[in-house]
């Protein structure tokens, strides 16, 4: 049974840092692409970052330079290191896996674009991040 479990969320003051983790289990093979998303209250789920099997990464502009996506060598734990947090980063944060390879092309994972969250077939339950100003 495929399972993704996020942890590491919490409350932090603006300017602070948090590191989120996502433990993956039950995958018959390592997905080509992993992503982090967030969803603030009353807003749509927003893509933040993507990483492929070879550790190539990409980010949405709003977090570029502040957030870093990474994974362990075993490809079983995904991370999101967040620095310089702002009040507008307050949201539920989710990790996700693209097992079907919707975003995998030419050896890289492309940004979700028109696919959006639908490209990712497996999701964690989320971890809340609250940033106070």
């Amino acid at each position: 049974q495929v399972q993704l479990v996020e942890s590491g969320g919490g409350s932090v003051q603006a300017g602070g840092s948090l590191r989120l983790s996502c433990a993956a289990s039950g995958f018959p093979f390592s997905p080509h692409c992993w992503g982090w998303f967030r969803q603030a209250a009353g807003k749509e789920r927003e893509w933040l970052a993507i990483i492929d099997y070879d550790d190539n990464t990409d980010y949405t502009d709003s977090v570029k330079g502040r957030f870093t996506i990474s994974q362990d060598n075993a490809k079983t734990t995904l991370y999101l290191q967040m620095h310089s947090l702002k009040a507008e980063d307050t949201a539920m944060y989710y990790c996700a896996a693209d097992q079907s390879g919707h975003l995998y092309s030419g050896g890289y994972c492309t940004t979700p674009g028109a696919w959006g969250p639908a490209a990712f077939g497996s999701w964690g339950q989320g971890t809340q991040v609250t940033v106070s100003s």
Side-chain angles (χ1 to χ4, degrees), residues 26-123:
F27 286 90
F29 57 89
S30 183
H32 288 298
C33 306
W34 299 92
W36 282 98
F37 286 74
R38 68 186 177 192
Q39 188 165 17
K43 295 189 176 181
E44 293 187 352
R45 193 161 295 193
E46 174 190 19
W47 168 73
L48 301 177
I50 197 165
I51 188 168
D52 67 19
Y53 191 85
D54 295 319
D55 293 332
N56 297 299
T57 60
D58 204 350
Y59 302 86
T60 193
D61 286 345
S62 64
V63 306
K64 203 170 289 185
R66 299 190 300 125
F67 292 8
T68 302
I69 187 172
S70 63
Q71 60 192 334
D72 68 348
N73 290 335
K75 317 298 183 187
T76 58
T77 305
L78 185 70
Y79 301 100
L80 186 68
Q81 178 68 56
M82 306 184 293
H83 294 298
S84 303
L85 284 162
K86 307 173 183 179
E88 51 263 43
D89 293 319
T90 294
M92 186 72 79
Y93 283 68
Y94 299 91
C95 62
D98 171 20
Q99 299 153 269
S100 299
H102 295 305
L103 303 180
Y104 192 70
S105 176
Y108 297 92
C109 294
T110 60
T111 59
W115 273 105
F120 295 83
S122 297
W123 292 82

